[in-house]
Short mmCIF file of all heavy atoms in Angstrom, two decimals:
data_model
loop_
_atom_site.label_atom_id
_atom_site.label_comp_id
_atom_site.label_asym_id
_atom_site.label_seq_id
_atom_site.Cartn_x
_atom_site.Cartn_y
_atom_site.Cartn_z
N ASP A 9 -1.92 -3.75 7.57
CA ASP A 9 -0.66 -4.09 6.91
C ASP A 9 -0.75 -5.51 6.39
O ASP A 9 -1.70 -6.24 6.70
CB ASP A 9 0.50 -4.00 7.93
CG ASP A 9 0.78 -2.56 8.33
OD1 ASP A 9 1.09 -1.76 7.44
OD2 ASP A 9 0.69 -2.25 9.54
N HIS A 11 1.01 -8.66 3.35
CA HIS A 11 1.70 -8.97 2.10
C HIS A 11 0.99 -8.35 0.89
O HIS A 11 -0.17 -7.95 0.99
CB HIS A 11 1.79 -10.50 1.95
CG HIS A 11 2.68 -11.13 2.96
ND1 HIS A 11 2.19 -11.84 4.04
CD2 HIS A 11 4.02 -11.13 3.07
CE1 HIS A 11 3.21 -12.25 4.77
NE2 HIS A 11 4.33 -11.84 4.20
N SER A 12 1.71 -8.32 -0.24
CA SER A 12 1.15 -7.79 -1.48
C SER A 12 -0.03 -8.64 -1.94
O SER A 12 -0.02 -9.86 -1.76
CB SER A 12 2.17 -7.87 -2.62
OG SER A 12 3.34 -7.25 -2.26
N SER A 13 -0.98 -7.99 -2.56
CA SER A 13 -2.13 -8.67 -3.17
C SER A 13 -2.90 -9.57 -2.19
O SER A 13 -3.28 -10.69 -2.52
CB SER A 13 -1.69 -9.51 -4.38
OG SER A 13 -1.01 -8.70 -5.29
N LYS A 16 -5.78 -5.90 0.80
CA LYS A 16 -5.76 -4.88 1.87
C LYS A 16 -6.56 -3.65 1.46
O LYS A 16 -7.38 -3.15 2.22
CB LYS A 16 -4.33 -4.41 2.17
CG LYS A 16 -3.43 -5.44 2.78
CD LYS A 16 -2.09 -4.85 3.19
CE LYS A 16 -1.28 -4.30 2.03
NZ LYS A 16 -0.82 -5.27 1.06
N SER A 17 -6.30 -3.18 0.24
CA SER A 17 -6.95 -1.91 -0.13
C SER A 17 -8.45 -2.09 -0.35
O SER A 17 -9.22 -1.21 0.00
CB SER A 17 -6.27 -1.26 -1.33
OG SER A 17 -6.30 -2.13 -2.41
N ASP A 33 -4.29 4.97 0.94
CA ASP A 33 -3.57 3.86 0.33
C ASP A 33 -2.09 4.26 0.24
O ASP A 33 -1.69 4.96 -0.69
CB ASP A 33 -4.18 3.62 -1.06
CG ASP A 33 -3.38 2.67 -1.93
OD1 ASP A 33 -2.41 2.08 -1.45
OD2 ASP A 33 -3.76 2.52 -3.11
N THR A 34 -1.29 3.85 1.23
CA THR A 34 0.11 4.32 1.24
C THR A 34 0.93 3.68 0.12
O THR A 34 1.92 4.25 -0.32
CB THR A 34 0.79 4.08 2.60
OG1 THR A 34 0.84 2.67 2.85
CG2 THR A 34 0.08 4.79 3.72
N GLY A 35 0.50 2.49 -0.35
CA GLY A 35 1.20 1.85 -1.47
C GLY A 35 1.17 2.77 -2.69
O GLY A 35 2.15 2.84 -3.45
N ALA A 36 0.07 3.50 -2.87
CA ALA A 36 -0.06 4.41 -4.01
C ALA A 36 1.01 5.50 -3.94
O ALA A 36 1.51 5.96 -4.97
CB ALA A 36 -1.46 5.04 -4.03
N TYR A 38 4.09 5.18 -2.54
CA TYR A 38 5.38 4.59 -2.94
C TYR A 38 5.39 4.33 -4.45
O TYR A 38 6.41 4.48 -5.12
CB TYR A 38 5.65 3.29 -2.15
CG TYR A 38 6.00 3.59 -0.71
CD1 TYR A 38 5.02 3.61 0.28
CD2 TYR A 38 7.30 3.91 -0.34
CE1 TYR A 38 5.32 3.93 1.59
CE2 TYR A 38 7.62 4.23 0.98
CZ TYR A 38 6.62 4.24 1.93
OH TYR A 38 6.94 4.57 3.23
N ARG A 39 4.24 3.95 -4.97
CA ARG A 39 4.14 3.70 -6.42
C ARG A 39 4.33 5.00 -7.21
O ARG A 39 4.97 5.00 -8.26
CB ARG A 39 2.76 3.10 -6.75
CG ARG A 39 2.64 1.65 -6.33
CD ARG A 39 1.23 1.10 -6.51
NE ARG A 39 1.18 -0.29 -6.14
CZ ARG A 39 1.45 -1.30 -6.97
NH1 ARG A 39 1.75 -1.05 -8.23
NH2 ARG A 39 1.42 -2.54 -6.54
N ARG A 95 -0.42 1.57 -11.36
CA ARG A 95 -0.86 0.17 -11.13
C ARG A 95 -0.26 -0.82 -12.12
O ARG A 95 -0.66 -1.98 -12.17
CB ARG A 95 -2.41 0.08 -11.21
CG ARG A 95 -3.14 1.09 -10.36
CD ARG A 95 -3.09 0.76 -8.90
NE ARG A 95 -3.55 1.90 -8.11
CZ ARG A 95 -3.36 2.01 -6.81
NH1 ARG A 95 -2.75 1.07 -6.14
NH2 ARG A 95 -3.79 3.06 -6.16
N SER A 100 5.16 -2.03 -10.38
CA SER A 100 5.24 -3.08 -9.35
C SER A 100 6.63 -3.70 -9.30
O SER A 100 7.12 -4.10 -8.24
CB SER A 100 4.23 -4.20 -9.61
OG SER A 100 2.93 -3.70 -9.56
N VAL A 103 8.92 -0.98 -7.42
CA VAL A 103 8.48 -0.27 -6.21
C VAL A 103 9.18 -0.72 -4.93
O VAL A 103 9.46 0.11 -4.06
CB VAL A 103 6.93 -0.30 -6.09
CG1 VAL A 103 6.41 -1.69 -5.83
CG2 VAL A 103 6.44 0.64 -5.02
N SER A 104 9.54 -1.99 -4.84
CA SER A 104 10.21 -2.44 -3.60
C SER A 104 11.59 -1.82 -3.49
O SER A 104 12.04 -1.49 -2.38
CB SER A 104 10.31 -3.96 -3.55
OG SER A 104 9.04 -4.51 -3.39
N SER A 107 11.04 1.72 -2.37
CA SER A 107 10.53 1.88 -1.01
C SER A 107 11.55 1.45 0.04
O SER A 107 11.28 1.57 1.23
CB SER A 107 9.18 1.20 -0.82
OG SER A 107 9.22 -0.10 -1.27
N GLU A 108 12.70 0.96 -0.38
CA GLU A 108 13.72 0.67 0.65
C GLU A 108 14.67 1.85 0.86
O GLU A 108 15.55 1.79 1.71
CB GLU A 108 14.46 -0.63 0.34
CG GLU A 108 15.38 -0.58 -0.83
CD GLU A 108 16.05 -1.93 -1.06
OE1 GLU A 108 15.71 -2.92 -0.39
OE2 GLU A 108 16.93 -1.98 -1.93
N ARG A 113 11.19 6.85 2.54
CA ARG A 113 10.32 6.44 3.64
C ARG A 113 10.11 7.60 4.63
O ARG A 113 9.01 7.82 5.10
CB ARG A 113 10.89 5.22 4.39
CG ARG A 113 11.12 4.01 3.53
CD ARG A 113 11.05 2.73 4.34
NE ARG A 113 9.68 2.44 4.75
CZ ARG A 113 8.78 1.84 3.98
NH1 ARG A 113 9.09 1.43 2.78
NH2 ARG A 113 7.55 1.63 4.42
N GLN A 120 2.15 10.77 6.00
CA GLN A 120 1.10 9.86 6.50
C GLN A 120 0.70 10.19 7.93
O GLN A 120 -0.48 10.19 8.27
CB GLN A 120 1.59 8.41 6.38
CG GLN A 120 1.69 7.95 4.94
CD GLN A 120 2.73 6.86 4.72
OE1 GLN A 120 3.30 6.31 5.65
NE2 GLN A 120 2.99 6.54 3.45
N ASP A 132 -3.72 1.72 4.80
CA ASP A 132 -3.12 0.40 4.54
C ASP A 132 -1.72 0.54 3.97
O ASP A 132 -1.38 1.56 3.37
CB ASP A 132 -4.04 -0.48 3.68
CG ASP A 132 -4.01 -0.16 2.20
OD1 ASP A 132 -3.27 0.72 1.78
OD2 ASP A 132 -4.76 -0.83 1.46
N GLY A 133 -0.89 -0.47 4.25
CA GLY A 133 0.50 -0.42 3.79
C GLY A 133 1.31 -1.58 4.32
O GLY A 133 0.81 -2.73 4.35
N ARG A 134 2.54 -1.30 4.72
CA ARG A 134 3.42 -2.35 5.23
C ARG A 134 3.93 -2.03 6.64
O ARG A 134 4.35 -2.92 7.37
CB ARG A 134 4.66 -2.54 4.33
CG ARG A 134 4.36 -2.82 2.88
CD ARG A 134 3.72 -4.18 2.72
NE ARG A 134 3.59 -4.58 1.33
CZ ARG A 134 2.70 -4.06 0.48
NH1 ARG A 134 1.87 -3.13 0.86
NH2 ARG A 134 2.64 -4.50 -0.76
N ASP A 135 3.96 -0.74 6.97
CA ASP A 135 4.56 -0.33 8.25
C ASP A 135 3.62 0.58 9.03
O ASP A 135 4.06 1.39 9.83
CB ASP A 135 5.87 0.44 7.96
CG ASP A 135 5.65 1.66 7.07
OD1 ASP A 135 4.56 1.75 6.46
OD2 ASP A 135 6.53 2.53 7.00
N ILE A 136 2.34 0.46 8.77
CA ILE A 136 1.39 1.39 9.40
C ILE A 136 1.26 1.11 10.90
O ILE A 136 1.36 2.01 11.72
CB ILE A 136 0.00 1.37 8.69
CG1 ILE A 136 0.16 1.44 7.17
CG2 ILE A 136 -0.89 2.50 9.22
CD1 ILE A 136 0.97 2.61 6.66
N VAL A 140 4.12 4.01 11.39
CA VAL A 140 3.34 5.23 11.17
C VAL A 140 2.39 5.50 12.35
O VAL A 140 2.40 6.59 12.91
CB VAL A 140 2.56 5.17 9.82
CG1 VAL A 140 1.82 6.48 9.57
CG2 VAL A 140 3.50 4.87 8.66
N ARG A 184 8.49 -9.41 -4.23
CA ARG A 184 8.11 -8.29 -3.36
C ARG A 184 8.02 -8.73 -1.90
O ARG A 184 8.42 -8.01 -1.00
CB ARG A 184 6.80 -7.66 -3.84
CG ARG A 184 7.06 -6.74 -5.02
CD ARG A 184 6.04 -5.67 -5.12
NE ARG A 184 4.77 -6.17 -5.62
CZ ARG A 184 3.61 -5.61 -5.36
NH1 ARG A 184 3.54 -4.56 -4.57
NH2 ARG A 184 2.51 -6.09 -5.88
N ASP A 188 10.21 -6.77 0.64
CA ASP A 188 9.47 -6.01 1.66
C ASP A 188 9.82 -6.49 3.08
O ASP A 188 9.89 -5.69 4.01
CB ASP A 188 7.94 -6.13 1.45
CG ASP A 188 7.46 -5.42 0.20
OD1 ASP A 188 8.24 -4.64 -0.40
OD2 ASP A 188 6.30 -5.63 -0.21
N ARG A 191 14.03 -5.72 3.86
CA ARG A 191 14.73 -4.43 3.72
C ARG A 191 15.19 -3.91 5.09
O ARG A 191 14.62 -4.28 6.13
CB ARG A 191 13.84 -3.42 2.99
CG ARG A 191 12.67 -2.98 3.79
CD ARG A 191 11.87 -1.88 3.10
NE ARG A 191 10.66 -1.67 3.83
CZ ARG A 191 9.44 -1.69 3.31
NH1 ARG A 191 9.28 -1.91 2.04
NH2 ARG A 191 8.39 -1.49 4.07
N SER A 194 12.24 -0.11 8.16
CA SER A 194 10.82 -0.44 8.30
C SER A 194 10.39 -1.64 7.47
O SER A 194 9.53 -1.53 6.61
CB SER A 194 9.94 0.74 7.88
OG SER A 194 10.41 1.94 8.30
O1 LIG B 301 0.23 -1.97 -1.35
P1 LIG B 301 0.95 -1.98 -2.70
O2 LIG B 301 1.20 -3.37 -3.26
O3 LIG B 301 0.34 -1.07 -3.69
O4 LIG B 301 2.40 -1.38 -2.35
C1 LIG B 301 3.40 -1.24 -3.30
C2 LIG B 301 4.77 -1.38 -2.68
O5 LIG B 301 5.04 -0.26 -1.86
C3 LIG B 301 5.02 -2.61 -1.83
O6 LIG B 301 5.64 -3.63 -2.57
C4 LIG B 301 5.91 -2.13 -0.73
C5 LIG B 301 5.78 -0.66 -0.71
N1 LIG B 301 5.10 -0.12 0.47
C6 LIG B 301 5.87 0.12 1.59
O7 LIG B 301 7.07 -0.19 1.58
N2 LIG B 301 5.31 0.67 2.68
C7 LIG B 301 4.01 0.99 2.71
N3 LIG B 301 3.49 1.55 3.80
C8 LIG B 301 3.19 0.74 1.57
C9 LIG B 301 3.78 0.17 0.47
#
Side-chain angles (χ1 to χ4, degrees):
D9 290 301
H11 292 105
S12 306
S13 305
K16 293 187 297 294
S17 59
D33 170 6
T34 63
Y38 288 93
R39 286 173 178 273
R95 309 286 168 194
S100 298
V103 67
S104 291
S107 51
E108 70 181 6
R113 302 206 71 83
Q120 290 153 9
D132 79 2
R134 304 292 188 287
D135 58 345
I136 313 305
V140 183
R184 281 207 285 154
D188 291 348
R191 69 175 171 233
S194 320

